[in-house]
Amino acid sequence: TVGAIGYGAYEIYGKRHPLEQKPFDPKKRTVVVLGSGWGAVSFLKSINTDDYNVMVVSPRNYFLFTPLLPSCTVGTIELRSIMEPIRFITQHKSRNVKFYESECTDIDPESKTISITDVSDIKGSVSNTTVHYDYLVMAVGADNQTFGMAGVREFACFLKEIWDAQKIRTRLMDCVESAGFAKQAPEEVDRLLHMVVVGGGPTGVEYAAELHDFLKDDLEVWYPELADKFRITLVEALPNVLPMFSSQLIQYTESTFKQNKIEVLTKTMVKEVADKEIKVMDANKNLVSIPYGLLVWATGNCPRPLTRKLMARIKEAQTSPRGILVDDYMRVAGAPDIYAIGDCTFSKYAPTAQVATQQGLYLASVFENLARIEEGQNKKITPFEYSHQGSLAYIGSDKAIADLPFLNGNVSVGGVATYVFWRSVYISNMFSFRNRFLVVGDWMKSKVFGRDVSR
Ligand code: FAD
Ligand code: NAD
């Protein structure tokens, strides 16, 4: 019976079994997609596989819904609820999409080949090979910006991938349990329970907000002897947090953080990172030490090694160190058969999921039109146009902020009602019914039982 129920659910959820999909057609052009994030998946969802063979290369065999990743660091949402296997996504295509869980290590635009390396710990007899493409879609995202500062990779936690959220969670609980260890020195308790977040962009702000909720709702209840010792500090080099939001929402966020006892140090730049303390240049240009237990580093993006390698190969056309330059049709300058979308590009838009998604959808329509033009139809390829749908961020205590375009103007709202809106937007933007179901279940679970405080 259980098997029948399972199969029934699969029948409803799965539209097409892989064996029922058309195989690769040697007469069709092959599009190789690098990545399985926002840009790649929105492209994959829309590309017409009747026209092309499609192959995906990514070290992650799943899509990650990054906007809810900060909620996973404290257990409001379970990690697997925001992951979607790439094969669940490609099952809907008419032609089988090949997926290789591997990292692309080099791109040769001359021979139109890429080098790929198996990323699994258990390797077969072949773990490095080359793959030919007719068109390449680069959607490899970006790396964490460290400014080459020693100690950041060694001692801080980033917040970009699943394993980052797991690491933050483990370190946080380690700090709490060590602070409660027998005969712990008072100054060591203070250090261990001081959580420092570097970077007042949306990642740093949302993480500080989630951490605050976890401390207030759960840790202070389960660890009453430590309750008055927890501290959160957010360090930001600029004069305020969230520079992309309206001044009204910046003020609202900073006052909400003040009420929530999150200390915000603006005009303060981290200069050195050691295992137990950071050194910052404060607003008065003094070098000050800040001891920490947990350090979360969220200072933005920089190009990945693969992106830099490709840019170096075509350096006459790639003149920006900040990412790949593309034209209005997402074609890589200096490499005509390569397209790039999302965070790996350098464009006039902020590196967001919203931009990557629209670029992925646009590129799929370009490929559709290219196929129709080849068949002799009269189709025109128009340039990419970004349509900004607004910015949202969670700021803690069931409050969110939203800057929304409205009748040629802008509406700035913040509060509990905005939080309900924030939740509904994210739920509706999830790529699958399965993810929506799991996330809503997690929200209910954490409301009813509280968050899990086990390591
Ligand atoms: P990604 O989604 O990062 O995907 C890159 C893919 O490339 C991954 O699958 C990766 O494994 C793969 N890859 C990496 N290296 C290689 C390689 N060498 N070969 C092959 N594949 C490779 N944006 C919003 O608009 N709204 C939000 O609320 C929001 N919240 C966020 C919260 C957090 C915590 C973070 C970190 C980001 C958030 N963003 C948000 C930004 C958003 O996640 C990014 O802009 C978006 O992921 C960019 O999409 P992408 O496809 O370019 O890259
Ligand atoms: P970011 O680039 O938006 O912000 C990084 C911040 O770190 C900047 O304000 C910068 O001044 C600060 N900083 C840099 N070096 C510093 C130093 N040494 N000391 C102190 N502060 C320093 O980065 P992010 O928050 O990781 O976001 C990356 C991208 O993802 C952005 O485009 C963002 O819009 C997007 N994102 C969006 C959301 C959302 O819409 N809710 C959430 C997360 C991320």
Side-chain angles (χ1 to χ4, degrees), residues 278-311:
I278 54 171
K279 285 212 169 75
V280 301
M281 178 80 79
D282 73 8
N284 303 317
K285 304 275 177 265
N286 296 321
L287 204 59
V288 179
S289 289
I290 303 180
Y292 70 84
L294 171 73
L295 181 66
V296 173
W297 192 266
T299 61
N301 293 340
C302 70
R304 289 195 190 277
L306 176 69
T307 308
R308 286 204 298 269
K309 214 168 180 177
L310 174 67
M311 293 193 306

PDB file of all heavy atoms in Angstrom, residues 278-311:
ATOM      1  N   ILE A 278      38.342  40.087  15.779  1.00  0.00           N
ATOM      2  CA  ILE A 278      38.620  40.834  14.546  1.00  0.00           C
ATOM      3  C   ILE A 278      39.132  42.205  14.956  1.00  0.00           C
ATOM      4  O   ILE A 278      38.834  42.674  16.060  1.00  0.00           O
ATOM      5  CB  ILE A 278      37.361  40.981  13.649  1.00  0.00           C
ATOM      6  CG1 ILE A 278      36.174  41.589  14.411  1.00  0.00           C
ATOM      7  CG2 ILE A 278      36.996  39.678  12.999  1.00  0.00           C
ATOM      8  CD1 ILE A 278      34.997  41.963  13.535  1.00  0.00           C
ATOM      9  N   LYS A 279      39.896  42.826  14.051  1.00  0.00           N
ATOM     10  CA  LYS A 279      40.333  44.213  14.299  1.00  0.00           C
ATOM     11  C   LYS A 279      39.620  45.092  13.295  1.00  0.00           C
ATOM     12  O   LYS A 279      39.621  44.798  12.081  1.00  0.00           O
ATOM     13  CB  LYS A 279      41.844  44.335  14.135  1.00  0.00           C
ATOM     14  CG  LYS A 279      42.601  43.734  15.300  1.00  0.00           C
ATOM     15  CD  LYS A 279      43.908  44.492  15.550  1.00  0.00           C
ATOM     16  CE  LYS A 279      44.562  44.093  16.844  1.00  0.00           C
ATOM     17  NZ  LYS A 279      45.210  42.789  16.812  1.00  0.00           N
ATOM     18  N   VAL A 280      38.978  46.151  13.791  1.00  0.00           N
ATOM     19  CA  VAL A 280      38.237  47.037  12.899  1.00  0.00           C
ATOM     20  C   VAL A 280      38.775  48.460  13.009  1.00  0.00           C
ATOM     21  O   VAL A 280      39.293  48.858  14.059  1.00  0.00           O
ATOM     22  CB  VAL A 280      36.718  47.040  13.223  1.00  0.00           C
ATOM     23  CG1 VAL A 280      36.117  45.665  13.102  1.00  0.00           C
ATOM     24  CG2 VAL A 280      36.429  47.635  14.603  1.00  0.00           C
ATOM     25  N   MET A 281      38.623  49.198  11.898  1.00  0.00           N
ATOM     26  CA  MET A 281      38.913  50.642  11.916  1.00  0.00           C
ATOM     27  C   MET A 281      37.570  51.307  12.179  1.00  0.00           C
ATOM     28  O   MET A 281      36.650  51.212  11.352  1.00  0.00           O
ATOM     29  CB  MET A 281      39.456  51.043  10.544  1.00  0.00           C
ATOM     30  CG  MET A 281      39.764  52.509  10.408  1.00  0.00           C
ATOM     31  SD  MET A 281      41.333  52.947  11.147  1.00  0.00           S
ATOM     32  CE  MET A 281      42.469  52.398   9.894  1.00  0.00           C
ATOM     33  N   ASP A 282      37.418  51.931  13.359  1.00  0.00           N
ATOM     34  CA  ASP A 282      36.100  52.485  13.685  1.00  0.00           C
ATOM     35  C   ASP A 282      35.883  53.865  13.059  1.00  0.00           C
ATOM     36  O   ASP A 282      36.772  54.376  12.349  1.00  0.00           O
ATOM     37  CB  ASP A 282      35.856  52.472  15.205  1.00  0.00           C
ATOM     38  CG  ASP A 282      36.670  53.516  15.952  1.00  0.00           C
ATOM     39  OD1 ASP A 282      37.319  54.354  15.293  1.00  0.00           O
ATOM     40  OD2 ASP A 282      36.653  53.489  17.196  1.00  0.00           O
ATOM     41  N   ALA A 283      34.715  54.468  13.339  1.00  0.00           N
ATOM     42  CA  ALA A 283      34.349  55.728  12.695  1.00  0.00           C
ATOM     43  C   ALA A 283      35.360  56.843  13.003  1.00  0.00           C
ATOM     44  O   ALA A 283      35.507  57.781  12.226  1.00  0.00           O
ATOM     45  CB  ALA A 283      32.956  56.134  13.162  1.00  0.00           C
ATOM     46  N   ASN A 284      36.085  56.717  14.149  1.00  0.00           N
ATOM     47  CA  ASN A 284      37.096  57.734  14.497  1.00  0.00           C
ATOM     48  C   ASN A 284      38.498  57.347  14.051  1.00  0.00           C
ATOM     49  O   ASN A 284      39.490  57.905  14.534  1.00  0.00           O
ATOM     50  CB  ASN A 284      37.098  57.971  16.023  1.00  0.00           C
ATOM     51  CG  ASN A 284      35.739  58.381  16.509  1.00  0.00           C
ATOM     52  OD1 ASN A 284      35.086  59.203  15.860  1.00  0.00           O
ATOM     53  ND2 ASN A 284      35.288  57.798  17.606  1.00  0.00           N
ATOM     54  N   LYS A 285      38.560  56.356  13.154  1.00  0.00           N
ATOM     55  CA  LYS A 285      39.838  55.876  12.592  1.00  0.00           C
ATOM     56  C   LYS A 285      40.751  55.227  13.643  1.00  0.00           C
ATOM     57  O   LYS A 285      41.969  55.217  13.524  1.00  0.00           O
ATOM     58  CB  LYS A 285      40.617  57.014  11.887  1.00  0.00           C
ATOM     59  CG  LYS A 285      39.833  57.715  10.779  1.00  0.00           C
ATOM     60  CD  LYS A 285      39.979  56.952   9.481  1.00  0.00           C
ATOM     61  CE  LYS A 285      39.167  57.529   8.350  1.00  0.00           C
ATOM     62  NZ  LYS A 285      37.861  56.929   8.152  1.00  0.00           N
ATOM     63  N   ASN A 286      40.156  54.685  14.694  1.00  0.00           N
ATOM     64  CA  ASN A 286      40.935  53.922  15.678  1.00  0.00           C
ATOM     65  C   ASN A 286      40.855  52.438  15.354  1.00  0.00           C
ATOM     66  O   ASN A 286      39.797  51.960  14.923  1.00  0.00           O
ATOM     67  CB  ASN A 286      40.376  54.134  17.091  1.00  0.00           C
ATOM     68  CG  ASN A 286      40.499  55.571  17.530  1.00  0.00           C
ATOM     69  OD1 ASN A 286      41.504  56.215  17.252  1.00  0.00           O
ATOM     70  ND2 ASN A 286      39.469  56.085  18.183  1.00  0.00           N
ATOM     71  N   LEU A 287      41.950  51.728  15.578  1.00  0.00           N
ATOM     72  CA  LEU A 287      41.948  50.280  15.369  1.00  0.00           C
ATOM     73  C   LEU A 287      41.480  49.613  16.672  1.00  0.00           C
ATOM     74  O   LEU A 287      42.118  49.759  17.708  1.00  0.00           O
ATOM     75  CB  LEU A 287      43.355  49.815  14.988  1.00  0.00           C
ATOM     76  CG  LEU A 287      43.463  48.514  14.211  1.00  0.00           C
ATOM     77  CD1 LEU A 287      42.694  48.565  12.899  1.00  0.00           C
ATOM     78  CD2 LEU A 287      44.919  48.158  13.951  1.00  0.00           C
ATOM     79  N   VAL A 288      40.349  48.901  16.591  1.00  0.00           N
ATOM     80  CA  VAL A 288      39.736  48.349  17.806  1.00  0.00           C
ATOM     81  C   VAL A 288      39.585  46.827  17.645  1.00  0.00           C
ATOM     82  O   VAL A 288      39.232  46.344  16.568  1.00  0.00           O
ATOM     83  CB  VAL A 288      38.327  48.976  18.010  1.00  0.00           C
ATOM     84  CG1 VAL A 288      37.635  48.417  19.239  1.00  0.00           C
ATOM     85  CG2 VAL A 288      38.407  50.484  18.082  1.00  0.00           C
ATOM     86  N   SER A 289      39.836  46.089  18.736  1.00  0.00           N
ATOM     87  CA  SER A 289      39.654  44.619  18.701  1.00  0.00           C
ATOM     88  C   SER A 289      38.238  44.265  19.134  1.00  0.00           C
ATOM     89  O   SER A 289      37.739  44.824  20.115  1.00  0.00           O
ATOM     90  CB  SER A 289      40.600  43.936  19.678  1.00  0.00           C
ATOM     91  OG  SER A 289      41.876  44.011  19.211  1.00  0.00           O
ATOM     92  N   ILE A 290      37.633  43.336  18.412  1.00  0.00           N
ATOM     93  CA  ILE A 290      36.302  42.855  18.828  1.00  0.00           C
ATOM     94  C   ILE A 290      36.378  41.329  18.968  1.00  0.00           C
ATOM     95  O   ILE A 290      36.494  40.613  17.962  1.00  0.00           O
ATOM     96  CB  ILE A 290      35.208  43.234  17.780  1.00  0.00           C
ATOM     97  CG1 ILE A 290      35.172  44.754  17.563  1.00  0.00           C
ATOM     98  CG2 ILE A 290      33.845  42.697  18.195  1.00  0.00           C
ATOM     99  CD1 ILE A 290      34.136  45.222  16.552  1.00  0.00           C
ATOM    100  N   PRO A 291      36.319  40.810  20.193  1.00  0.00           N
ATOM    101  CA  PRO A 291      36.333  39.345  20.363  1.00  0.00           C
ATOM    102  C   PRO A 291      34.997  38.761  19.898  1.00  0.00           C
ATOM    103  O   PRO A 291      33.962  39.407  20.041  1.00  0.00           O
ATOM    104  CB  PRO A 291      36.490  39.160  21.878  1.00  0.00           C
ATOM    105  CG  PRO A 291      36.763  40.500  22.444  1.00  0.00           C
ATOM    106  CD  PRO A 291      36.234  41.508  21.483  1.00  0.00           C
ATOM    107  N   TYR A 292      35.062  37.573  19.316  1.00  0.00           N
ATOM    108  CA  TYR A 292      33.817  36.937  18.847  1.00  0.00           C
ATOM    109  C   TYR A 292      33.828  35.435  19.122  1.00  0.00           C
ATOM    110  O   TYR A 292      34.898  34.825  19.271  1.00  0.00           O
ATOM    111  CB  TYR A 292      33.625  37.185  17.336  1.00  0.00           C
ATOM    112  CG  TYR A 292      34.630  36.434  16.467  1.00  0.00           C
ATOM    113  CD1 TYR A 292      34.430  35.103  16.103  1.00  0.00           C
ATOM    114  CD2 TYR A 292      35.808  37.045  16.036  1.00  0.00           C
ATOM    115  CE1 TYR A 292      35.358  34.402  15.340  1.00  0.00           C
ATOM    116  CE2 TYR A 292      36.732  36.356  15.264  1.00  0.00           C
ATOM    117  CZ  TYR A 292      36.498  35.035  14.918  1.00  0.00           C
ATOM    118  OH  TYR A 292      37.424  34.330  14.171  1.00  0.00           O
ATOM    119  N   GLY A 293      32.629  34.847  19.169  1.00  0.00           N
ATOM    120  CA  GLY A 293      32.493  33.388  19.212  1.00  0.00           C
ATOM    121  C   GLY A 293      32.203  32.878  17.808  1.00  0.00           C
ATOM    122  O   GLY A 293      32.858  31.989  17.297  1.00  0.00           O
ATOM    123  N   LEU A 294      31.217  33.522  17.176  1.00  0.00           N
ATOM    124  CA  LEU A 294      30.837  33.160  15.792  1.00  0.00           C
ATOM    125  C   LEU A 294      31.025  34.391  14.918  1.00  0.00           C
ATOM    126  O   LEU A 294      30.595  35.488  15.281  1.00  0.00           O
ATOM    127  CB  LEU A 294      29.361  32.728  15.767  1.00  0.00           C
ATOM    128  CG  LEU A 294      28.744  32.513  14.383  1.00  0.00           C
ATOM    129  CD1 LEU A 294      29.256  31.236  13.749  1.00  0.00           C
ATOM    130  CD2 LEU A 294      27.214  32.457  14.488  1.00  0.00           C
ATOM    131  N   LEU A 295      31.674  34.183  13.754  1.00  0.00           N
ATOM    132  CA  LEU A 295      31.884  35.297  12.817  1.00  0.00           C
ATOM    133  C   LEU A 295      31.267  34.926  11.472  1.00  0.00           C
ATOM    134  O   LEU A 295      31.649  33.929  10.857  1.00  0.00           O
ATOM    135  CB  LEU A 295      33.395  35.532  12.648  1.00  0.00           C
ATOM    136  CG  LEU A 295      33.805  36.678  11.724  1.00  0.00           C
ATOM    137  CD1 LEU A 295      33.389  38.031  12.302  1.00  0.00           C
ATOM    138  CD2 LEU A 295      35.319  36.677  11.491  1.00  0.00           C
ATOM    139  N   VAL A 296      30.278  35.718  11.043  1.00  0.00           N
ATOM    140  CA  VAL A 296      29.649  35.464   9.739  1.00  0.00           C
ATOM    141  C   VAL A 296      30.056  36.581   8.792  1.00  0.00           C
ATOM    142  O   VAL A 296      29.943  37.762   9.117  1.00  0.00           O
ATOM    143  CB  VAL A 296      28.113  35.346   9.876  1.00  0.00           C
ATOM    144  CG1 VAL A 296      27.449  35.266   8.500  1.00  0.00           C
ATOM    145  CG2 VAL A 296      27.754  34.101  10.694  1.00  0.00           C
ATOM    146  N   TRP A 297      30.558  36.187   7.618  1.00  0.00           N
ATOM    147  CA  TRP A 297      31.158  37.130   6.661  1.00  0.00           C
ATOM    148  C   TRP A 297      30.244  37.282   5.452  1.00  0.00           C
ATOM    149  O   TRP A 297      30.047  36.330   4.702  1.00  0.00           O
ATOM    150  CB  TRP A 297      32.523  36.589   6.229  1.00  0.00           C
ATOM    151  CG  TRP A 297      33.358  37.567   5.485  1.00  0.00           C
ATOM    152  CD1 TRP A 297      33.453  37.723   4.138  1.00  0.00           C
ATOM    153  CD2 TRP A 297      34.257  38.538   6.062  1.00  0.00           C
ATOM    154  NE1 TRP A 297      34.332  38.727   3.830  1.00  0.00           N
ATOM    155  CE2 TRP A 297      34.844  39.250   4.999  1.00  0.00           C
ATOM    156  CE3 TRP A 297      34.608  38.882   7.374  1.00  0.00           C
ATOM    157  CZ2 TRP A 297      35.765  40.282   5.195  1.00  0.00           C
ATOM    158  CZ3 TRP A 297      35.529  39.909   7.562  1.00  0.00           C
ATOM    159  CH2 TRP A 297      36.103  40.590   6.473  1.00  0.00           C
ATOM    160  N   ALA A 298      29.688  38.487   5.285  1.00  0.00           N
ATOM    161  CA  ALA A 298      28.751  38.707   4.168  1.00  0.00           C
ATOM    162  C   ALA A 298      29.052  40.041   3.497  1.00  0.00           C
ATOM    163  O   ALA A 298      28.269  40.982   3.573  1.00  0.00           O
ATOM    164  CB  ALA A 298      27.313  38.671   4.690  1.00  0.00           C
ATOM    165  N   THR A 299      30.231  40.106   2.856  1.00  0.00           N
ATOM    166  CA  THR A 299      30.655  41.391   2.271  1.00  0.00           C
ATOM    167  C   THR A 299      30.504  41.413   0.745  1.00  0.00           C
ATOM    168  O   THR A 299      31.201  42.159   0.066  1.00  0.00           O
ATOM    169  CB  THR A 299      32.105  41.731   2.670  1.00  0.00           C
ATOM    170  OG1 THR A 299      32.946  40.684   2.166  1.00  0.00           O
ATOM    171  CG2 THR A 299      32.277  41.851   4.163  1.00  0.00           C
ATOM    172  N   GLY A 300      29.606  40.584   0.232  1.00  0.00           N
ATOM    173  CA  GLY A 300      29.288  40.664  -1.191  1.00  0.00           C
ATOM    174  C   GLY A 300      30.022  39.647  -2.054  1.00  0.00           C
ATOM    175  O   GLY A 300      30.564  38.652  -1.545  1.00  0.00           O
ATOM    176  N   ASN A 301      30.025  39.926  -3.363  1.00  0.00           N
ATOM    177  CA  ASN A 301      30.478  38.942  -4.365  1.00  0.00           C
ATOM    178  C   ASN A 301      31.789  39.336  -5.038  1.00  0.00           C
ATOM    179  O   ASN A 301      32.118  40.514  -5.107  1.00  0.00           O
ATOM    180  CB  ASN A 301      29.442  38.870  -5.496  1.00  0.00           C
ATOM    181  CG  ASN A 301      28.118  38.281  -5.038  1.00  0.00           C
ATOM    182  OD1 ASN A 301      28.060  37.602  -4.025  1.00  0.00           O
ATOM    183  ND2 ASN A 301      27.077  38.537  -5.793  1.00  0.00           N
ATOM    184  N   CYS A 302      32.473  38.313  -5.586  1.00  0.00           N
ATOM    185  CA  CYS A 302      33.593  38.558  -6.513  1.00  0.00           C
ATOM    186  C   CYS A 302      33.587  37.407  -7.531  1.00  0.00           C
ATOM    187  O   CYS A 302      32.946  36.379  -7.288  1.00  0.00           O
ATOM    188  CB  CYS A 302      34.914  38.647  -5.766  1.00  0.00           C
ATOM    189  SG  CYS A 302      35.469  37.096  -5.097  1.00  0.00           S
ATOM    190  N   PRO A 303      34.255  37.563  -8.683  1.00  0.00           N
ATOM    191  CA  PRO A 303      34.192  36.501  -9.703  1.00  0.00           C
ATOM    192  C   PRO A 303      34.824  35.189  -9.242  1.00  0.00           C
ATOM    193  O   PRO A 303      35.798  35.184  -8.496  1.00  0.00           O
ATOM    194  CB  PRO A 303      34.986  37.087 -10.882  1.00  0.00           C
ATOM    195  CG  PRO A 303      35.046  38.544 -10.641  1.00  0.00           C
ATOM    196  CD  PRO A 303      35.003  38.738  -9.154  1.00  0.00           C
ATOM    197  N   ARG A 304      34.245  34.077  -9.706  1.00  0.00           N
ATOM    198  CA  ARG A 304      34.808  32.755  -9.399  1.00  0.00           C
ATOM    199  C   ARG A 304      36.095  32.539 -10.210  1.00  0.00           C
ATOM    200  O   ARG A 304      36.272  33.187 -11.256  1.00  0.00           O
ATOM    201  CB  ARG A 304      33.807  31.668  -9.810  1.00  0.00           C
ATOM    202  CG  ARG A 304      32.584  31.606  -8.918  1.00  0.00           C
ATOM    203  CD  ARG A 304      31.856  30.303  -9.174  1.00  0.00           C
ATOM    204  NE  ARG A 304      30.566  30.267  -8.528  1.00  0.00           N
ATOM    205  CZ  ARG A 304      30.363  29.938  -7.251  1.00  0.00           C
ATOM    206  NH1 ARG A 304      31.382  29.624  -6.477  1.00  0.00           N
ATOM    207  NH2 ARG A 304      29.148  29.910  -6.758  1.00  0.00           N
ATOM    208  N   PRO A 305      36.963  31.572  -9.782  1.00  0.00           N
ATOM    209  CA  PRO A 305      38.192  31.311 -10.539  1.00  0.00           C
ATOM    210  C   PRO A 305      37.907  30.994 -12.022  1.00  0.00           C
ATOM    211  O   PRO A 305      38.611  31.471 -12.904  1.00  0.00           O
ATOM    212  CB  PRO A 305      38.798  30.091  -9.828  1.00  0.00           C
ATOM    213  CG  PRO A 305      38.252  30.169  -8.430  1.00  0.00           C
ATOM    214  CD  PRO A 305      36.906  30.795  -8.529  1.00  0.00           C
ATOM    215  N   LEU A 306      36.845  30.216 -12.303  1.00  0.00           N
ATOM    216  CA  LEU A 306      36.528  29.874 -13.703  1.00  0.00           C
ATOM    217  C   LEU A 306      36.201  31.143 -14.505  1.00  0.00           C
ATOM    218  O   LEU A 306      36.625  31.290 -15.660  1.00  0.00           O
ATOM    219  CB  LEU A 306      35.331  28.912 -13.751  1.00  0.00           C
ATOM    220  CG  LEU A 306      34.855  28.568 -15.158  1.00  0.00           C
ATOM    221  CD1 LEU A 306      35.870  27.700 -15.895  1.00  0.00           C
ATOM    222  CD2 LEU A 306      33.488  27.884 -15.142  1.00  0.00           C
ATOM    223  N   THR A 307      35.457  32.042 -13.890  1.00  0.00           N
ATOM    224  CA  THR A 307      35.071  33.291 -14.558  1.00  0.00           C
ATOM    225  C   THR A 307      36.323  34.102 -14.873  1.00  0.00           C
ATOM    226  O   THR A 307      36.481  34.623 -15.981  1.00  0.00           O
ATOM    227  CB  THR A 307      34.113  34.085 -13.636  1.00  0.00           C
ATOM    228  OG1 THR A 307      33.054  33.215 -13.250  1.00  0.00           O
ATOM    229  CG2 THR A 307      33.567  35.311 -14.307  1.00  0.00           C
ATOM    230  N   ARG A 308      37.216  34.172 -13.889  1.00  0.00           N
ATOM    231  CA  ARG A 308      38.458  34.945 -14.096  1.00  0.00           C
ATOM    232  C   ARG A 308      39.304  34.322 -15.208  1.00  0.00           C
ATOM    233  O   ARG A 308      39.900  35.028 -16.019  1.00  0.00           O
ATOM    234  CB  ARG A 308      39.260  35.008 -12.793  1.00  0.00           C
ATOM    235  CG  ARG A 308      38.651  35.966 -11.765  1.00  0.00           C
ATOM    236  CD  ARG A 308      39.716  36.452 -10.785  1.00  0.00           C
ATOM    237  NE  ARG A 308      40.267  35.327 -10.038  1.00  0.00           N
ATOM    238  CZ  ARG A 308      39.782  34.897  -8.883  1.00  0.00           C
ATOM    239  NH1 ARG A 308      38.758  35.513  -8.330  1.00  0.00           N
ATOM    240  NH2 ARG A 308      40.325  33.873  -8.250  1.00  0.00           N
ATOM    241  N   LYS A 309      39.299  32.970 -15.240  1.00  0.00           N
ATOM    242  CA  LYS A 309      40.100  32.263 -16.254  1.00  0.00           C
ATOM    243  C   LYS A 309      39.567  32.583 -17.653  1.00  0.00           C
ATOM    244  O   LYS A 309      40.336  32.861 -18.567  1.00  0.00           O
ATOM    245  CB  LYS A 309      39.986  30.759 -15.974  1.00  0.00           C
ATOM    246  CG  LYS A 309      41.234  29.966 -16.282  1.00  0.00           C
ATOM    247  CD  LYS A 309      41.047  28.592 -15.680  1.00  0.00           C
ATOM    248  CE  LYS A 309      42.170  27.668 -15.881  1.00  0.00           C
ATOM    249  NZ  LYS A 309      41.951  26.377 -15.225  1.00  0.00           N
ATOM    250  N   LEU A 310      38.240  32.536 -17.802  1.00  0.00           N
ATOM    251  CA  LEU A 310      37.658  32.832 -19.115  1.00  0.00           C
ATOM    252  C   LEU A 310      37.947  34.287 -19.496  1.00  0.00           C
ATOM    253  O   LEU A 310      38.328  34.568 -20.639  1.00  0.00           O
ATOM    254  CB  LEU A 310      36.135  32.584 -19.103  1.00  0.00           C
ATOM    255  CG  LEU A 310      35.431  32.999 -20.403  1.00  0.00           C
ATOM    256  CD1 LEU A 310      35.860  32.104 -21.572  1.00  0.00           C
ATOM    257  CD2 LEU A 310      33.906  32.955 -20.265  1.00  0.00           C
ATOM    258  N   MET A 311      37.807  35.196 -18.532  1.00  0.00           N
ATOM    259  CA  MET A 311      38.039  36.615 -18.830  1.00  0.00           C
ATOM    260  C   MET A 311      39.496  36.836 -19.261  1.00  0.00           C
ATOM    261  O   MET A 311      39.767  37.638 -20.145  1.00  0.00           O
ATOM    262  CB  MET A 311      37.675  37.481 -17.628  1.00  0.00           C
ATOM    263  CG  MET A 311      36.177  37.474 -17.337  1.00  0.00           C
ATOM    264  SD  MET A 311      35.597  38.735 -16.198  1.00  0.00           S
ATOM    265  CE  MET A 311      36.609  38.530 -14.787  1.00  0.00           C
TER     266      MET A 311
END
